[in-house]
Amino acid sequence: MRTPKTLLSLALTLAAGIASAQGMPVALRDANASTPDDWAKAAPLIKAAVECRDPLFSAKPVLAVFRLTNDSLDGDHTFPAPLTVFGSLKATGISIFQGTDDEGSSYTVKPAGVTLAQVVKAASLKKDGPRYIRKVRDGIIEASEPRTGEVQIACIRGGSAQ
């Protein structure tokens, strides 16, 4: 359990962050804000990565949509609008891991309001032991339910996916 001192410290840190962001000039604060044009260009690239058709690279529109200032795409990112993948699955964000050639890369989304069976059908996956997969060029597409009611689908490229 957290102590009152820890909670106070967290609250003060949050307040300081909000205060400094409010005092920051708009041009500086929003310097890396994305535009609708960025999303229109980035969405097909992200969709192709999630559907395991192409690897995701740090194109300018993708960096802008994720509000990144460097080429590292790793991490959890929220989309400015829902992205439809596999024909009917709506995702609002993505988790990206880009490892070495030995580690591979993965692009994971958690479509909301769907069951594992709906994800399996939409992505044309087959049961393989405890998981559902489809082998694709340079990797696999895998669906799972890490927690009850939470479904995720991932493109896993390279590494041990092959």
Side-chain angles (χ1 to χ4, degrees):
M1 185 166 183
R2 292 201 167 129
T3 65
K5 189 175 181 181
T6 303
L7 290 175
L8 180 60
S9 174
L10 290 172
L12 289 174
T13 302
L14 178 62
I18 291 170
S20 68
Q22 288 175 349
M24 186 182 297
V26 174
L28 189 57
R29 185 180 66 224
D30 295 338
N32 201 32
S34 66
T35 65
D37 188 49
D38 290 327
W39 179 237
K41 291 176 182 173
L45 300 173
I46 297 167
K47 179 180 176 178
V50 171
E51 293 178 351
C52 239
R53 291 182 280 120
D54 290 309
L56 187 61
F57 57 95
S58 56
K60 286 184 181 184
V62 173
L63 294 174
V65 165
F66 294 160
R67 299 186 71 114
L68 297 173
T69 56
N70 61 32
D71 288 341
S72 176
L73 298 175
D74 285 346
D76 297 329
H77 307 284
T78 303
F79 301 142
L83 177 69
T84 302
V85 294
F86 299 105
S88 61
L89 307 175
K90 302 268 188 221
T92 58
I94 188 169
S95 181
I96 299 172
F97 171 76
Q98 292 186 315
T100 65
D101 288 342
D102 291 337
E103 294 171 322
S105 298
S106 67
Y107 316 109
T108 305
V109 295
K110 294 178 181 177
V114 294
T115 64
L116 183 58
Q118 290 169 316
V119 171
V120 166
K121 182 177 180 179
S124 302
L125 306 178
K126 302 283 186 220
K127 189 155 179 70
D128 181 36
R131 60 191 188 149
Y132 294 89
I133 67 165
R134 176 166 44 103
K135 293 181 181 181
V136 294
R137 178 180 47 91
D138 299 328
I140 62 169
I141 299 170
E142 177 182 36
S144 62
E145 191 172 23
R147 286 182 276 295
T148 304
E150 181 181 291
V151 180
Q152 67 183 23
I153 187 163
C155 166
I156 305 166
R157 301 179 67 81
S160 62
Q162 298 174 16

